Amino acid sequence: MIRSFVLASAIAIIAGVAHAEEPIIGNWKTAAGDTAMIVSCGGSYCVTLKTGKYAGRKIGTLAGTGGSYAGEITDPAADKTYSGSGKISGNSLRMQGCVMKVLCKSQTWTRL
């Protein structure tokens, strides 16, 4: 009976961990003051602007786990796509876009 209880508890813990969301998922306030929504999409994370001049536009796709992500980021004003990355620290997301991994720009977003 104790073995059954321990086994059931272990299964419940594993199931809870499997359904835990990545910290990047959610709504973020961008450096420009717009709201970006990051959701799980096809094994990666899609970044879409919810407010502002470019509302509704997908501006990135990132993959990764545990607070570090890499992929592509699009500057909606210039309509150019760059190598991108994101790193979470508390309620901040440091986004970076680079051309040839040499010329980089970064900005910090805040969780809403």
Side-chain angles (χ1 to χ4, degrees):
M1 182 150 145
I2 293 176
R3 186 189 301 184
S4 297
F5 177 73
V6 170
L7 181 61
S9 297
I11 290 172
I13 290 170
I14 291 170
V17 170
H19 292 291
E21 286 188 344
E22 278 294 317
I24 197 167
I25 293 176
N27 292 316
W28 298 86
K29 183 177 181 180
T30 69
D34 299 330
T35 299
M37 177 178 64
I38 302 178
V39 297
S40 180
C41 63
S44 59
Y45 303 97
C46 292
V47 184
T48 304
L49 290 174
K50 290 177 64 175
T51 64
K53 183 177 180 179
Y54 301 100
R57 183 145 183 215
K58 181 180 170 186
I59 61 164
T61 303
L62 300 170
T65 59
S68 292
Y69 308 90
E72 293 185 336
I73 302 292
T74 300
D75 174 358
D79 197 28
K80 294 192 181 212
T81 301
Y82 306 97
S83 296
S85 64
K87 178 105 177 132
I88 297 199
S89 177
N91 284 325
S92 295
L93 172 59
R94 184 171 181 261
M95 297 292 283
Q96 184 175 49
C98 299
V99 176
M100 298 173 27
K101 299 192 181 205
V102 179
L103 303 171
C104 300
K105 288 187 179 182
S106 64
Q107 53 183 253
T108 300
W109 295 1
T110 306
R111 184 180 298 281
L112 294 175

XYZ file of all heavy atoms in Angstrom:
802
model
N 0.816 -1.182 0.000
C 0.000 0.000 0.000
C 0.871 1.263 0.000
O 0.566 2.208 -0.717
C -0.912 -0.002 1.222
C -1.819 1.185 1.245
S -3.313 0.728 2.069
C -3.703 2.206 2.866
N 1.921 1.258 0.791
C 2.815 2.417 0.815
C 3.489 2.563 -0.535
O 3.632 3.673 -1.051
C 3.857 2.276 1.951
C 3.148 2.364 3.295
C 4.927 3.342 1.840
C 4.048 2.143 4.478
N 3.864 1.435 -1.148
C 4.502 1.480 -2.465
C 3.559 2.105 -3.491
O 3.979 2.901 -4.326
C 4.899 0.077 -2.910
C 5.687 0.125 -4.210
C 5.926 -1.195 -4.835
N 6.663 -2.103 -3.979
C 7.060 -3.307 -4.353
N 6.786 -3.736 -5.560
N 7.708 -4.086 -3.544
N 2.286 1.780 -3.450
C 1.303 2.352 -4.378
C 1.187 3.863 -4.180
O 1.103 4.616 -5.142
C -0.074 1.718 -4.170
O -0.032 0.343 -4.452
N 1.189 4.296 -2.929
C 1.093 5.720 -2.637
C 2.326 6.462 -3.153
O 2.212 7.525 -3.767
C 0.932 5.934 -1.129
C 0.894 7.381 -0.750
C -0.230 8.149 -1.027
C 1.977 7.991 -0.142
C -0.262 9.492 -0.695
C 1.952 9.328 0.189
C 0.824 10.084 -0.082
N 3.508 5.910 -2.926
C 4.746 6.530 -3.392
C 4.765 6.595 -4.913
O 5.121 7.606 -5.503
C 5.981 5.771 -2.843
C 7.255 6.259 -3.510
C 6.063 5.920 -1.338
N 4.355 5.526 -5.570
C 4.315 5.485 -7.032
C 3.325 6.513 -7.577
O 3.636 7.253 -8.511
C 3.948 4.080 -7.515
C 3.894 3.889 -9.023
C 5.264 4.179 -9.642
C 3.467 2.475 -9.356
N 2.163 6.601 -6.977
C 1.160 7.570 -7.423
C 1.664 8.998 -7.226
O 1.473 9.867 -8.080
C -0.157 7.364 -6.678
N 2.343 9.255 -6.116
C 2.898 10.586 -5.858
C 3.963 10.947 -6.876
O 4.018 12.066 -7.375
C 3.492 10.656 -4.449
O 2.478 10.470 -3.485
N 4.825 9.997 -7.197
C 5.882 10.233 -8.180
C 5.292 10.543 -9.548
O 5.757 11.455 -10.245
C 6.812 9.027 -8.266
N 4.270 9.825 -9.944
C 3.621 10.060 -11.238
C 2.994 11.452 -11.258
O 3.098 12.178 -12.241
C 2.579 8.964 -11.542
C 3.306 7.645 -11.819
C 1.685 9.362 -12.708
C 2.394 6.444 -11.942
N 2.356 11.857 -10.169
C 1.736 13.184 -10.110
C 2.782 14.282 -10.220
O 2.581 15.287 -10.905
C 0.941 13.326 -8.809
N 3.920 14.109 -9.576
C 4.987 15.115 -9.641
C 5.540 15.210 -11.050
O 5.726 16.299 -11.588
C 6.098 14.794 -8.617
C 5.572 15.032 -7.204
C 7.338 15.633 -8.884
C 6.483 14.535 -6.104
N 5.803 14.076 -11.678
C 6.329 14.054 -13.039
C 5.347 14.705 -14.005
O 5.730 15.493 -14.860
C 6.684 12.622 -13.479
C 7.898 12.131 -12.682
C 6.948 12.557 -14.976
C 8.184 10.654 -12.849
N 4.067 14.418 -13.856
C 3.053 15.018 -14.733
C 3.008 16.526 -14.548
O 2.875 17.273 -15.513
C 1.684 14.401 -14.449
N 3.153 17.009 -13.316
C 3.156 18.446 -13.061
C 4.345 19.124 -13.698
O 4.235 20.196 -14.279
N 5.512 18.511 -13.636
C 6.716 19.071 -14.244
C 6.590 19.079 -15.761
O 6.992 20.022 -16.420
C 7.971 18.279 -13.796
C 9.185 18.685 -14.603
C 8.217 18.491 -12.313
N 6.007 18.048 -16.336
C 5.871 17.957 -17.791
C 4.982 19.066 -18.341
O 5.165 19.504 -19.465
C 5.308 16.593 -18.184
N 4.024 19.533 -17.543
C 3.104 20.566 -18.020
C 3.521 21.971 -17.623
O 2.831 22.930 -17.922
C 1.679 20.278 -17.510
C 1.083 19.060 -18.133
N 0.719 19.006 -19.452
C 0.811 17.841 -17.631
C 0.241 17.808 -19.738
N 0.285 17.081 -18.636
N 4.651 22.115 -16.950
C 5.122 23.443 -16.554
C 5.495 24.246 -17.800
O 6.121 23.735 -18.717
C 6.327 23.319 -15.631
N 5.070 25.501 -17.822
C 5.367 26.349 -18.978
C 6.771 26.905 -18.893
O 7.308 27.132 -17.816
C 4.379 27.516 -19.026
C 2.998 27.130 -19.464
C 2.118 28.349 -19.671
O 2.460 29.453 -19.201
O 1.085 28.193 -20.311
N 7.331 27.147 -20.038
C 8.623 27.822 -20.115
C 8.442 29.257 -19.634
O 7.401 29.867 -19.863
C 9.123 27.833 -21.563
C 9.802 26.570 -21.987
C 11.111 26.322 -21.249
O 11.906 27.252 -21.053
O 11.321 25.172 -20.865
N 9.463 29.841 -19.015
C 9.324 31.201 -18.490
C 9.145 32.277 -19.557
O 8.696 33.376 -19.250
C 10.616 31.420 -17.707
C 11.568 30.381 -18.169
C 10.740 29.235 -18.679
N 9.438 31.973 -20.809
C 9.292 32.979 -21.868
C 7.831 33.187 -22.267
O 7.471 34.230 -22.807
C 10.154 32.607 -23.102
C 10.336 33.839 -23.999
C 9.571 31.420 -23.851
C 11.388 33.687 -25.062
N 6.979 32.216 -22.005
C 5.575 32.298 -22.411
C 4.857 33.371 -21.608
O 4.973 33.438 -20.390
C 4.882 30.933 -22.250
C 5.476 29.947 -23.251
C 3.374 31.054 -22.425
C 4.942 28.537 -23.136
N 4.146 34.241 -22.320
C 3.368 35.281 -21.660
C 3.376 36.581 -22.432
O 3.768 36.632 -23.604
N 2.937 37.640 -21.775
C 2.887 38.968 -22.375
C 4.029 39.809 -21.837
O 4.316 39.790 -20.630
C 1.547 39.645 -22.074
C 0.404 38.955 -22.789
O 0.511 38.621 -23.962
N -0.694 38.755 -22.093
N 4.667 40.563 -22.735
C 5.839 41.356 -22.400
C 5.683 42.776 -22.915
O 5.187 42.987 -24.027
C 7.088 40.733 -23.028
C 7.374 39.360 -22.532
C 6.868 38.187 -23.017
C 8.205 39.008 -21.440
N 7.353 37.122 -22.292
C 8.181 37.599 -21.318
C 8.982 39.745 -20.545
C 8.894 36.923 -20.334
C 9.697 39.068 -19.572
C 9.647 37.674 -19.472
N 6.145 43.747 -22.125
C 6.176 45.138 -22.567
C 7.521 45.360 -23.242
O 8.575 45.163 -22.647
C 6.018 46.093 -21.390
C 5.974 47.550 -21.802
C 5.740 48.437 -20.600
C 5.676 49.881 -21.032
N 5.460 50.757 -19.879
N 7.494 45.763 -24.509
C 8.723 45.964 -25.279
C 9.369 47.297 -24.900
O 8.765 48.129 -24.217
C 8.443 45.960 -26.792
O 7.695 47.136 -27.125
C 7.688 44.713 -27.225
N 10.580 47.517 -25.379
C 11.285 48.773 -25.128
C 10.522 49.956 -25.718
O 10.602 51.075 -25.206
C 12.694 48.703 -25.702
N 9.760 49.725 -26.792
C 8.976 50.790 -27.425
C 7.646 51.037 -26.709
O 6.913 51.948 -27.058
C 8.710 50.439 -28.890
N 7.326 50.189 -25.712
C 6.090 50.339 -24.969
C 4.933 49.520 -25.491
O 3.830 49.577 -24.937
N 5.141 48.762 -26.560
C 4.099 47.890 -27.100
C 4.026 46.613 -26.271
O 4.923 46.305 -25.492
C 4.401 47.529 -28.556
C 4.453 48.746 -29.460
O 3.755 49.736 -29.171
O 5.203 48.698 -30.453
N 2.966 45.842 -26.476
C 2.832 44.545 -25.826
C 3.107 43.454 -26.837
O 2.527 43.438 -27.923
C 1.417 44.349 -25.239
O 1.188 45.368 -24.268
C 1.268 42.986 -24.582
N 4.018 42.539 -26.481
C 4.325 41.372 -27.310
C 3.840 40.135 -26.574
O 4.006 40.017 -25.351
C 5.826 41.273 -27.575
N 3.232 39.227 -27.311
C 2.744 37.978 -26.759
C 3.651 36.851 -27.256
O 3.906 36.746 -28.461
C 1.302 37.726 -27.207
C 0.732 36.396 -26.740
S -0.997 36.160 -27.236
C -0.839 36.134 -29.017
N 4.134 36.031 -26.331
C 4.969 34.893 -26.702
C 4.223 33.627 -26.310
O 3.835 33.450 -25.144
C 6.345 34.954 -26.022
C 7.055 36.262 -26.408
C 7.179 33.740 -26.411
C 8.410 36.464 -25.760
N 3.996 32.762 -27.310
C 3.267 31.519 -27.098
C 4.040 30.353 -27.699
O 4.884 30.535 -28.574
C 1.853 31.572 -27.738
C 0.999 32.661 -27.096
C 1.928 31.776 -29.233
N 3.717 29.168 -27.232
C 4.301 27.956 -27.790
C 3.690 27.713 -29.162
O 2.479 27.840 -29.346
C 3.991 26.780 -26.858
O 4.532 25.597 -27.365
N 4.553 27.383 -30.145
C 4.037 27.103 -31.490
C 4.957 26.101 -32.197
O 6.110 26.416 -32.485
C 3.882 28.384 -32.303
S 5.396 29.268 -32.637
N 4.494 24.916 -32.407
C 5.236 23.926 -33.179
C 6.618 23.591 -32.647
O 7.557 23.501 -33.408
N 6.773 23.449 -31.350
C 8.059 23.099 -30.783
C 8.985 24.279 -30.525
O 10.110 24.109 -30.084
N 8.519 25.481 -30.814
C 9.309 26.683 -30.530
C 8.369 27.712 -29.913
O 7.284 27.376 -29.452
C 9.975 27.205 -31.801
O 9.009 27.503 -32.778
N 8.775 28.969 -29.899
C 7.976 30.034 -29.303
C 7.838 31.171 -30.292
O 8.837 31.686 -30.800
C 8.621 30.524 -27.990
C 8.788 29.383 -27.042
C 9.996 28.717 -26.949
C 7.710 28.904 -26.302
C 10.145 27.620 -26.129
C 7.847 27.803 -25.483
C 9.065 27.165 -25.400
O 9.192 26.065 -24.602
N 6.595 31.548 -30.591
C 6.315 32.611 -31.551
C 6.080 33.920 -30.808
O 5.379 33.954 -29.797
C 5.081 32.272 -32.375
S 5.342 30.869 -33.474
N 6.666 34.995 -31.340
C 6.555 36.328 -30.754
C 5.692 37.166 -31.688
O 6.033 37.362 -32.856
C 7.949 36.981 -30.598
C 7.817 38.327 -29.896
C 8.923 36.057 -29.889
N 4.570 37.668 -31.166
C 3.636 38.459 -31.963
C 3.310 39.741 -31.214
O 3.049 39.713 -30.006
C 2.331 37.677 -32.220
O 2.647 36.437 -32.843
C 1.373 38.461 -33.097
N 3.324 40.863 -31.916
C 2.945 42.133 -31.296
C 1.432 42.192 -31.148
O 0.697 41.904 -32.088
C 3.443 43.309 -32.133
C 4.953 43.505 -32.128
C 5.353 44.600 -33.112
C 5.453 43.833 -30.728
N 0.963 42.584 -29.961
C -0.466 42.705 -29.691
C -0.949 44.141 -29.777
O -2.117 44.381 -30.025
C -0.786 42.154 -28.303
C -0.665 40.658 -28.191
C -0.919 40.176 -26.781
C -2.339 40.451 -26.350
N -2.641 39.887 -25.020
N -0.046 45.091 -29.532
C -0.429 46.509 -29.562
C 0.593 47.296 -30.374
O 1.654 46.789 -30.712
C -0.498 47.103 -28.136
O 0.799 47.085 -27.546
C -1.480 46.355 -27.254
N 0.248 48.538 -30.659
C 1.170 49.421 -31.370
C 0.943 49.443 -32.869
O 0.005 48.836 -33.389
N 1.810 50.125 -33.564
C 1.710 50.321 -35.013
C 1.718 49.004 -35.782
O 1.087 48.881 -36.828
C 2.872 51.203 -35.470
C 2.852 51.550 -36.932
C 3.989 52.489 -37.276
C 3.973 52.853 -38.744
N 5.049 53.790 -39.085
N 2.417 47.997 -35.273
C 2.550 46.722 -35.978
C 1.772 45.598 -35.289
O 2.126 44.432 -35.400
C 4.029 46.359 -36.113
C 4.803 47.416 -36.857
C 5.571 48.353 -36.176
C 4.721 47.515 -38.236
C 6.262 49.345 -36.853
C 5.409 48.508 -38.920
C 6.170 49.415 -38.223
O 6.845 50.404 -38.905
N 0.687 45.947 -34.590
C -0.131 44.963 -33.875
C -0.583 43.848 -34.819
O -0.958 44.096 -35.962
C -1.344 45.642 -33.251
N -0.492 42.612 -34.327
C -0.882 41.446 -35.112
C 0.250 40.852 -35.922
O 0.107 39.787 -36.517
N 1.375 41.505 -35.960
C 2.509 41.034 -36.773
C 3.414 40.107 -35.962
O 3.816 40.418 -34.847
C 3.319 42.224 -37.258
C 4.451 41.800 -38.151
C 4.688 42.809 -39.211
N 5.745 42.304 -40.070
C 6.634 43.058 -40.645
N 6.587 44.362 -40.492
N 7.561 42.535 -41.396
N 3.738 38.963 -36.555
C 4.689 38.039 -35.939
C 6.091 38.604 -36.143
O 6.491 38.902 -37.266
C 4.571 36.658 -36.581
C 5.506 35.636 -35.978
C 5.340 34.280 -36.646
C 6.435 33.343 -36.225
N 6.388 32.088 -36.955
N 6.839 38.760 -35.032
C 8.161 39.369 -35.127
C 9.287 38.440 -34.688
O 10.434 38.876 -34.589
C 8.234 40.683 -34.325
C 7.959 40.439 -32.846
C 7.311 41.732 -34.920
C 8.375 41.586 -31.953
N 8.973 37.177 -34.465
C 10.070 36.294 -34.089
C 9.644 34.877 -33.812
O 8.475 34.594 -33.558
N 10.636 34.002 -33.878
C 10.486 32.607 -33.498
C 11.754 32.213 -32.755
O 12.864 32.381 -33.274
C 10.313 31.701 -34.735
O 9.187 32.161 -35.490
C 10.078 30.261 -34.330
N 11.581 31.716 -31.541
C 12.716 31.327 -30.711
C 12.525 29.899 -30.218
O 11.405 29.441 -30.054
C 12.836 32.258 -29.498
C 13.039 33.740 -29.795
C 12.886 34.565 -28.523
C 14.407 33.972 -30.408
N 13.619 29.214 -29.983
C 13.582 27.865 -29.421
C 14.563 27.818 -28.263
O 15.546 28.559 -28.237
C 13.962 26.835 -30.479
N 14.299 26.957 -27.321
C 15.192 26.805 -26.181
C 14.415 26.412 -24.953
O 13.202 26.209 -24.998
N 15.114 26.310 -23.828
C 14.493 25.961 -22.563
C 15.226 26.648 -21.421
O 16.353 27.107 -21.581
C 14.536 24.440 -22.302
O 15.903 24.025 -22.291
C 13.762 23.661 -23.337
N 14.557 26.691 -20.285
C 15.191 27.139 -19.057
C 15.627 28.585 -19.006
O 16.499 28.941 -18.224
N 15.065 29.431 -19.829
C 15.394 30.848 -19.762
C 16.344 31.351 -20.830
O 16.594 32.542 -20.928
N 16.891 30.454 -21.667
C 17.778 30.868 -22.769
C 17.194 30.379 -24.084
O 16.914 29.190 -24.237
C 19.178 30.281 -22.589
O 19.807 30.857 -21.470
N 17.055 31.301 -25.029
C 16.386 30.992 -26.290
C 17.154 31.599 -27.454
O 17.826 32.610 -27.313
C 14.953 31.554 -26.255
C 14.205 31.102 -25.029
C 14.247 31.840 -23.858
C 13.512 29.908 -25.027
C 13.600 31.410 -22.708
C 12.859 29.472 -23.892
C 12.911 30.221 -22.737
O 12.276 29.784 -21.598
N 17.036 30.986 -28.630
C 17.696 31.490 -29.836
C 16.792 31.240 -31.032
O 15.983 30.316 -31.037
C 19.041 30.807 -30.044
N 16.929 32.073 -32.062
C 16.119 31.914 -33.266
C 16.253 33.119 -34.159
O 17.358 33.583 -34.419
N 15.104 33.640 -34.604
C 15.081 34.791 -35.500
C 14.169 35.863 -34.938
O 13.112 35.569 -34.389
C 14.583 34.392 -36.883
C 15.514 33.474 -37.630
C 15.041 33.193 -39.049
O 13.823 33.304 -39.316
O 15.897 32.884 -39.881
N 14.592 37.118 -35.097
C 13.828 38.280 -34.662
C 13.692 39.223 -35.854
O 14.658 39.470 -36.569
C 14.545 39.025 -33.510
C 14.777 38.103 -32.314
C 13.791 40.274 -33.107
C 13.522 37.690 -31.600
N 12.484 39.756 -36.061
C 12.241 40.691 -37.154
C 12.019 42.089 -36.591
O 11.249 42.272 -35.655
C 11.010 40.268 -37.970
O 11.244 38.968 -38.513
C 10.713 41.235 -39.100
N 12.700 43.068 -37.182
C 12.460 44.477 -36.865
C 11.280 44.887 -37.739
O 11.422 44.985 -38.961
C 13.706 45.306 -37.190
C 13.480 46.798 -37.018
O 12.362 47.225 -36.678
O 14.456 47.543 -37.234
N 10.104 45.102 -37.144
C 8.933 45.387 -37.981
C 9.035 46.705 -38.738
O 8.490 46.821 -39.829
C 7.775 45.402 -36.981
C 8.392 45.669 -35.663
C 9.780 45.106 -35.723
N 9.743 47.689 -38.210
C 9.864 48.986 -38.887
C 10.697 48.866 -40.154
O 10.382 49.464 -41.188
C 10.478 50.023 -37.954
N 11.784 48.089 -40.107
C 12.661 47.916 -41.269
C 12.286 46.697 -42.101
O 12.790 46.520 -43.207
C 14.113 47.792 -40.806
N 11.413 45.844 -41.559
C 11.012 44.590 -42.199
C 12.240 43.724 -42.536
O 12.338 43.159 -43.614
C 10.166 44.843 -43.441
C 9.400 43.589 -43.869
O 9.086 42.754 -42.997
O 9.141 43.430 -45.079
N 13.179 43.635 -41.584
C 14.384 42.821 -41.743
C 14.449 41.823 -40.602
O 14.113 42.138 -39.468
C 15.628 43.691 -41.761
C 15.660 44.595 -42.974
C 17.000 45.229 -43.147
C 16.900 46.133 -44.367
N 18.071 46.249 -45.101
N 14.908 40.615 -40.937
C 15.006 39.543 -39.955
C 16.464 39.275 -39.620
O 17.316 39.248 -40.511
C 14.325 38.269 -40.486
O 12.949 38.578 -40.763
C 14.379 37.141 -39.478
N 16.726 39.076 -38.335
C 18.085 38.890 -37.832
C 18.167 37.632 -36.973
O 17.156 37.153 -36.470
C 18.497 40.094 -36.969
C 18.342 41.420 -37.674
C 17.214 42.203 -37.486
C 19.329 41.878 -38.533
C 17.071 43.416 -38.139
C 19.198 43.091 -39.183
C 18.068 43.857 -38.983
O 17.932 45.064 -39.640
N 19.395 37.138 -36.765
C 19.612 36.097 -35.768
C 19.255 36.712 -34.432
O 19.641 37.846 -34.152
C 21.078 35.661 -35.728
O 21.461 35.083 -36.939
N 18.530 35.979 -33.628
C 18.081 36.554 -32.375
C 18.269 35.627 -31.201
O 18.473 34.426 -31.353
N 18.193 36.226 -30.025
C 18.252 35.438 -28.803
C 17.484 36.165 -27.714
O 17.225 37.365 -27.810
C 19.702 35.217 -28.368
O 20.313 36.442 -28.035
N 17.122 35.418 -26.701
C 16.438 35.968 -25.554
C 16.936 35.285 -24.295
O 17.201 34.081 -24.304
N 17.085 36.030 -23.243
C 17.550 35.492 -21.963
C 16.689 36.098 -20.865
O 16.562 37.320 -20.773
C 19.015 35.855 -21.749
C 19.577 35.402 -20.451
C 20.464 34.209 -20.688
C 21.108 33.799 -19.367
N 21.016 32.419 -19.124
N 16.108 35.227 -20.047
C 15.230 35.676 -18.975
C 15.992 35.784 -17.664
O 16.769 34.899 -17.317
C 14.038 34.724 -18.819
C 13.231 34.752 -20.096
C 13.226 35.052 -17.583
C 11.855 34.265 -20.040
N 15.724 36.875 -16.954
C 16.264 37.085 -15.619
C 15.143 37.708 -14.793
O 14.802 38.880 -14.998
C 17.486 37.998 -15.662
O 17.951 38.255 -14.352
N 14.533 36.927 -13.928
C 13.386 37.414 -13.151
C 12.230 37.749 -14.058
O 11.771 36.920 -14.836
N 11.767 39.005 -14.012
C 10.664 39.447 -14.869
C 11.152 40.258 -16.059
O 10.394 41.024 -16.642
C 9.662 40.276 -14.047
C 8.808 39.396 -13.170
O 8.457 38.283 -13.540
N 8.478 39.881 -11.990
N 12.414 40.082 -16.414
C 12.993 40.781 -17.561
C 13.419 39.788 -18.633
O 13.881 38.695 -18.331
C 14.227 41.588 -17.135
O 13.865 42.609 -16.253
N 13.245 40.188 -19.873
C 13.654 39.389 -21.027
C 14.586 40.254 -21.868
O 14.163 41.277 -22.415
C 12.436 38.963 -21.845
C 12.668 38.288 -23.185
C 13.486 37.009 -23.025
C 11.341 37.989 -23.866
N 15.846 39.867 -21.945
C 16.820 40.614 -22.755
C 16.801 40.021 -24.155
O 17.231 38.892 -24.362
C 18.213 40.527 -22.164
C 19.217 41.361 -22.928
C 20.545 41.425 -22.192
N 21.478 42.251 -22.922
C 22.411 41.764 -23.726
N 22.557 40.469 -23.885
N 23.221 42.583 -24.372
N 16.292 40.790 -25.100
C 16.213 40.364 -26.490
C 17.383 40.969 -27.251
O 17.740 42.132 -27.044
C 14.906 40.831 -27.119
C 13.666 40.252 -26.485
S 13.490 38.487 -26.768
C 12.924 38.499 -28.449
N 17.971 40.169 -28.145
C 19.103 40.645 -28.936
C 18.948 40.151 -30.370
O 18.598 38.999 -30.607
C 20.405 40.122 -28.344
C 21.642 40.647 -29.050
C 22.918 40.207 -28.352
O 23.079 39.029 -28.051
N 23.800 41.145 -28.097
N 19.217 41.046 -31.315
C 19.228 40.710 -32.732
C 20.571 41.067 -33.317
O 21.123 42.122 -33.001
N 21.127 40.177 -34.151
C 22.475 40.389 -34.686
C 22.528 40.151 -36.194
O 21.849 39.278 -36.724
C 23.477 39.439 -34.038
S 23.632 39.617 -32.252
N 23.394 40.913 -36.847
C 23.735 40.701 -38.245
C 25.106 40.052 -38.255
O 26.066 40.624 -37.734
C 23.776 42.038 -39.023
C 24.232 41.808 -40.455
C 22.428 42.716 -38.985
N 25.195 38.870 -38.805
C 26.452 38.121 -38.895
C 27.125 37.938 -37.526
O 28.342 37.854 -37.429
C 27.407 38.782 -39.890
C 26.835 38.794 -41.277
S 27.736 39.703 -42.547
C 29.401 39.722 -42.058
N 26.327 37.920 -36.461
C 26.803 37.722 -35.086
C 27.858 38.732 -34.659
O 28.593 38.517 -33.712
C 27.304 36.301 -34.890
C 26.224 35.273 -35.130
C 26.622 33.916 -34.679
C 25.485 32.968 -34.999
N 25.444 31.821 -34.195
N 27.960 39.857 -35.382
C 28.947 40.880 -35.052
C 28.253 42.186 -34.665
O 28.562 42.787 -33.640
C 29.903 41.130 -36.243
C 30.913 42.195 -35.906
C 30.581 39.841 -36.662
N 27.337 42.622 -35.493
C 26.612 43.865 -35.243
C 25.307 43.517 -34.541
O 24.384 42.990 -35.153
C 26.330 44.594 -36.554
C 27.555 44.926 -37.410
C 27.132 45.440 -38.763
C 28.421 45.949 -36.682
N 25.246 43.801 -33.247
C 24.093 43.405 -32.445
C 23.445 44.598 -31.764
O 24.118 45.560 -31.407
C 24.516 42.401 -31.374
S 25.231 40.888 -32.021
N 22.139 44.513 -31.598
C 21.372 45.469 -30.816
C 20.550 44.666 -29.816
O 20.056 43.578 -30.140
C 20.427 46.283 -31.697
C 21.116 47.296 -32.567
C 20.095 48.150 -33.269
C 20.770 49.200 -34.136
N 19.809 50.056 -34.792
N 20.417 45.205 -28.623
C 19.613 44.516 -27.629
C 18.670 45.482 -26.936
O 18.860 46.694 -26.979
C 20.505 43.806 -26.608
O 21.268 44.729 -25.890
N 17.628 44.930 -26.352
C 16.689 45.702 -25.567
C 16.099 44.781 -24.503
O 16.114 43.555 -24.652
C 15.589 46.332 -26.420
C 14.841 45.384 -27.320
C 13.816 46.090 -28.172
O 12.628 45.961 -27.905
N 14.235 46.835 -29.179
N 15.615 45.389 -23.441
C 15.052 44.607 -22.348
C 13.548 44.811 -22.312
O 13.062 45.934 -22.353
C 15.670 45.040 -20.998
O 17.089 44.828 -21.077
C 15.117 44.213 -19.855
N 12.824 43.684 -22.259
C 11.376 43.695 -22.153
C 11.007 43.328 -20.724
O 11.747 42.636 -20.030
C 10.750 42.696 -23.104
C 10.961 42.986 -24.563
C 11.657 44.019 -25.121
C 10.465 42.213 -25.657
N 11.628 43.931 -26.500
C 10.891 42.839 -26.847
C 9.703 41.061 -25.744
C 10.569 42.338 -28.117
C 9.380 40.559 -26.995
C 9.809 41.201 -28.174
N 9.829 43.753 -20.285
C 9.356 43.497 -18.926
C 8.081 42.679 -18.968
O 7.177 42.985 -19.741
C 9.092 44.832 -18.191
O 10.262 45.635 -18.265
C 8.729 44.595 -16.740
N 8.008 41.670 -18.105
C 6.795 40.822 -18.046
C 5.593 41.642 -17.559
O 5.721 42.426 -16.630
C 7.019 39.638 -17.107
C 5.813 38.682 -17.089
C 6.050 37.507 -16.164
N 7.170 36.692 -16.557
C 7.172 35.775 -17.534
N 6.081 35.585 -18.255
N 8.240 35.061 -17.788
N 4.468 41.456 -18.233
C 3.222 42.113 -17.814
C 2.418 41.187 -16.925
O 2.505 40.012 -16.979
C 2.395 42.511 -19.040
C 3.028 43.583 -19.913
C 2.189 43.820 -21.145
C 3.189 44.873 -19.142
